[in-house]
Amino acid sequence: MYEKRGEPKKAGAAKARTGAMRNGTVQDFSVRQASGSRAGSGSSRRPPASAMSSDELRKRQEAKKRRIRKRRIQFISILIFFLLAIGGLIFAVIFAVNSCNSEAVSTEPTASPSAEVQLGDDSMLSETASVNGISIGGKTVSDARAELSANLQLPEVAFLIQGEGLEQTLNATDIGLEFDIDTAIEQANQRGAVSAQVIINEETLLQTLYGLNENLPNHATNASFTIETDSNGKSSFVYSEGQNGVQLNYDTIVSAVKSNVEQGTYTATIVPEATVSEPAVTVDDLKKQTTLLAEYTTTYRFKGTSSMTEDEKANCEARDINIRKAAEMMSVITLEPGSVFSFNNTTGKRSAQNGWAEAKAVYGGGYRLETGGGVCQVSTTMFNALIRANVEIVNRKGHTIPSDYVTTKFEQGLGFDATVDYGNIDFKFRNNGDTTLYVFVYVTTNKESSRKRDVNVEVYGQAFEEGVSYRTRNEILEHIESVEIEYIEDKDQEAGTEIVVREGHDFYLVMSYVDKYVNGEFVETVMSFESEYPLILERRSIGPAIATPSPDSGGSSGGGGDGELIPVLP
């Protein structure tokens, strides 16, 4: 009788356990358990474990282990094969897609005998190439272009623009008539003999029509402005509103001219349409282009005080003459985009014959009288206003002695002066914007002192973007104090006296910066300038050395020995 799978007979199992415990053969019990387990799997033909010898049992166990290893090997082999099959399938799909793409690309021809070839100026043209009967075969593109430009003859053009209050004939120049030479050269290189197409330059034609529009009765006028200067030399903008009026319909005229030219017709009468239009430019538009971008002011003394010497008073008056003269020559500077302004070219040679006065100017670590002395205050004031308007500085050089009029705090003004010397040092700036730049320069009486005047510079142009401003700062990289004194002997000076003939000045190495801010937040540094002010020692002149009596002279100042000279030196 067979046992049901997984349900061994309870009586037989109990009897086996009893016998195992009675005989003390635990090993037999374990074997029976294993054998019973297999019996449960349906192996009813196998003999019971009690009937097997130990060798047979060992062989059976080894056979079991071999079967388990074999199954594992078979499982792993099947798994590896399965994975390889999947990988091969994926590779095949990818290869097929790439093959399709390659076939798709290869179906396009790489070149065609009739395809246009991009020609360079040095490219050689085919021997059969000709345009309008002019042979250009065997020439370079550059030479062919020159040949055709010189020999192709434009047709006569007479387009009559006729309307109420307007009658004007346009010629080839008015409409920008020209041959499309480059296209003709390319076509000739491929086909041989061709004819060049005649085309118009629409921008040229529009400019011509804009001029005609101004001759229309009651034509629209744009807003405008003038610059007026008051009795104090201060300039300002005065705006005028534009007016509505009649305006040519430019599109219809351009379309009519272009259509006639394309059909080979160069003589026709065109009756233009006119429409009522508003000004293209308003006062608000103009004000955005003439916004105050930055301004700067410096102060100088033009009238001396009672404590001054006559020379010092005369120097104040001479500087005033030169500063006001320079300001008047530059009262209104109008600079188009890309243009460069030159300080020296504007003033010309600053000589006595040209009306310039002699005043002190920095020279060789000190000062000397020069015609035009003092004009550097104008160039310095301009420099400070311009950099705050983010205007490009082309040429700027600092003085050898720092200027004390740049700011109220001396060190804050270091690196922000701009000297000029006709024939040697110029101050230049460029309009780096897209609209006209205006710079106003004028002199006014100082509000706090009747003995002082102010140099004022205002810069106008296209308004900055919302929240944008430019600020200046400087950084003193090195500072050496001037503490030593330099002595020179002056035989004409009274013995034993000292006179300061040159003041000492400290050494400064300074970097000055212009920073861009947006809504009060630093964004970037847009300009930087390095300035070096050399160390200048104070110089004093001394009189001749004093002669002291020798011990043998008995104290007499008159007789005998020369005595020892005691120089008055530190």
Side-chain angles (χ1 to χ4, degrees), residues 191-258:
R191 307 173 192 170
V194 299
S195 296
Q197 183 182 4
V198 179
I199 58 176
I200 68 169
N201 186 314
E202 292 189 21
E203 184 60 32
T204 300
L205 176 55
L206 282 173
Q207 292 299 325
T208 300
L209 297 179
Y210 294 155
L212 292 181
N213 190 74
E214 297 298 316
N215 298 324
L216 285 177
N218 303 318
H219 67 274
T221 58
N222 290 329
S224 60
F225 69 84
T226 58
I227 299 174
E228 297 184 359
T229 304
D230 63 20
S231 58
N232 295 320
K234 178 176 172 55
S235 300
S236 58
F237 296 99
V238 178
Y239 301 94
S240 299
E241 291 284 358
Q243 299 294 326
N244 292 346
V246 177
Q247 177 176 296
L248 292 174
N249 189 322
Y250 303 124
D251 291 339
T252 59
I253 300 176
V254 171
S255 178
V257 171
K258 189 174 180 180

Side-chain angles (χ1 to χ4, degrees), residues 27 31 49 52-62:
Q27 184 179 6
V31 172
M52 298 180 189
S53 65
S54 18
D55 288 338
E56 289 175 337
L57 182 60
R58 178 177 55 78
K59 290 178 181 180
R60 192 174 289 274
Q61 289 176 339
E62 289 178 353

Side-chain angles (χ1 to χ4, degrees), residues 214-463:
E214 297 298 316
N215 298 324
L216 285 177
N218 303 318
H219 67 274
T221 58
N222 290 329
S224 60
F225 69 84
T226 58
I227 299 174
E228 297 184 359
T229 304
D230 63 20
S231 58
N232 295 320
K234 178 176 172 55
S235 300
S236 58
F237 296 99
V238 178
Y239 301 94
S240 299
E241 291 284 358
Q243 299 294 326
N244 292 346
V246 177
Q247 177 176 296
L248 292 174
N249 189 322
Y250 303 124
D251 291 339
T252 59
I253 300 176
V254 171
S255 178
V257 171
K258 189 174 180 180
S259 176
N260 277 281
V261 170
E262 288 175 350
Q263 296 173 20
T265 302
Y266 304 104
T267 302
T269 298
I270 299 174
V271 179
E273 297 178 4
T275 59
V276 176
S277 64
E278 298 179 350
V281 180
T282 66
V283 168
D284 287 340
D285 295 332
L286 295 178
K287 286 183 176 181
K288 290 178 182 178
Q289 297 178 7
T290 54
T291 299
L292 178 62
L293 304 178
E295 58 186 333
Y296 202 78
T297 299
T298 62
T299 302
Y300 70 94
R301 185 180 295 279
F302 74 95
K303 185 182 295 185
T305 63
S306 58
S307 61
M308 290 183 173
T309 65
E310 292 303 315
D311 287 344
E312 290 172 336
K313 292 178 182 178
N315 185 68
C316 288
E317 295 172 0
R319 286 188 85 251
D320 178 52
I321 291 172
N322 294 331
I323 289 173
R324 287 190 293 115
K325 182 177 178 67
E328 289 171 3
M329 299 178 81
M330 304 179 196
S331 61
V332 177
I333 300 171
T334 302
L335 204 61
E336 297 303 320
S339 299
V340 175
F341 173 86
S342 165
F343 189 97
N344 285 342
N345 288 348
T346 303
T347 65
K349 186 176 182 180
R350 296 183 285 275
S351 63
Q353 293 82 357
N354 291 333
W356 299 91
E358 278 195 343
K360 282 186 177 181
V362 177
Y363 180 82
Y367 295 90
R368 73 174 185 181
L369 290 176
E370 285 189 1
T371 52
V375 296
C376 293
Q377 184 154 354
V378 179
S379 58
T380 292
T381 311
M382 293 175 68
F383 172 61
N384 280 271
L386 290 163
I387 59 178
R388 287 166 171 79
N390 194 33
V391 176
E392 178 187 353
I393 305 301
V394 176
N395 193 68
R396 169 263 171 191
K397 182 177 175 60
H399 294 81
T400 54
I401 298 175
S403 303
D404 59 2
Y405 51 74
V406 181
T407 59
T408 55
K409 293 183 178 180
F410 171 73
E411 288 195 341
Q412 290 181 356
L414 294 174
F416 292 107
D417 55 329
T419 185
V420 288
D421 180 16
Y422 190 83
N424 295 304
I425 304 171
D426 199 0
F427 172 62
K428 296 181 179 181
F429 60 90
R430 176 185 286 107
N431 179 1
N432 54 322
D434 297 326
T435 59
T436 306
L437 187 73
Y438 304 92
V439 182
F440 298 163
V441 184
Y442 58 99
V443 176
T444 56
T445 301
N446 184 269
K447 296 180 180 180
E448 298 179 358
S449 173
S450 60
R451 296 178 180 272
K452 295 181 180 180
R453 287 193 170 118
D454 294 331
V455 181
N456 307 279
V457 177
E458 299 170 351
V459 183
Y460 295 85
Q462 183 66 44

Side-chain angles (χ1 to χ4, degrees), residues 35-285:
S35 178
S37 164
R38 290 190 178 275
S41 65
S43 299
S44 58
R45 296 181 182 181
R46 295 172 186 171
S50 58
M52 298 180 189
S53 65
S54 18
D55 288 338
E56 289 175 337
L57 182 60
R58 178 177 55 78
K59 290 178 181 180
R60 192 174 289 274
Q61 289 176 339
E62 289 178 353
K64 174 185 174 183
K65 291 179 181 179
R66 285 194 299 270
R67 285 195 298 272
I68 292 173
R69 283 198 299 270
K70 184 177 180 180
R71 290 194 187 100
R72 287 178 179 174
I73 293 172
Q74 289 174 344
F75 175 79
I76 293 173
S77 299
I78 293 172
L79 179 61
I80 292 174
F81 176 81
F82 180 75
L83 293 175
L84 289 174
I86 293 177
L89 180 61
I90 294 173
F91 177 81
V93 171
I94 294 174
F95 180 80
V97 171
N98 289 337
S99 298
C100 292
N101 290 338
S102 299
E103 291 174 2
V105 172
S106 63
T107 58
E108 295 294 330
T110 56
S112 171
S114 61
E116 293 188 1
V117 179
Q118 189 66 36
L119 299 174
D121 284 350
D122 296 330
S123 299
M124 299 296 295
L125 299 175
S126 67
E127 294 294 335
T128 60
S130 70
V131 176
N132 288 27
I134 301 172
S135 176
I136 56 174
K139 298 180 181 291
T140 65
V141 171
S142 179
D143 290 341
R145 188 183 295 116
E147 177 82 10
L148 296 175
S149 297
N151 292 290
L152 287 176
Q153 298 295 320
L154 288 169
E156 293 292 330
V157 172
F159 287 112
L160 177 62
I161 310 299
Q162 191 173 52
E164 184 177 351
L166 176 65
E167 186 170 320
Q168 181 72 39
T169 300
L170 306 184
N171 59 28
T173 302
D174 295 331
I175 67 174
L177 195 70
E178 59 188 6
F179 285 104
D180 188 355
I181 292 177
D182 287 340
T183 300
I185 290 174
E186 290 185 3
Q187 293 175 346
N189 187 54
Q190 299 169 20
R191 307 173 192 170
V194 299
S195 296
Q197 183 182 4
V198 179
I199 58 176
I200 68 169
N201 186 314
E202 292 189 21
E203 184 60 32
T204 300
L205 176 55
L206 282 173
Q207 292 299 325
T208 300
L209 297 179
Y210 294 155
L212 292 181
N213 190 74
E214 297 298 316
N215 298 324
L216 285 177
N218 303 318
H219 67 274
T221 58
N222 290 329
S224 60
F225 69 84
T226 58
I227 299 174
E228 297 184 359
T229 304
D230 63 20
S231 58
N232 295 320
K234 178 176 172 55
S235 300
S236 58
F237 296 99
V238 178
Y239 301 94
S240 299
E241 291 284 358
Q243 299 294 326
N244 292 346
V246 177
Q247 177 176 296
L248 292 174
N249 189 322
Y250 303 124
D251 291 339
T252 59
I253 300 176
V254 171
S255 178
V257 171
K258 189 174 180 180
S259 176
N260 277 281
V261 170
E262 288 175 350
Q263 296 173 20
T265 302
Y266 304 104
T267 302
T269 298
I270 299 174
V271 179
E273 297 178 4
T275 59
V276 176
S277 64
E278 298 179 350
V281 180
T282 66
V283 168
D284 287 340
D285 295 332

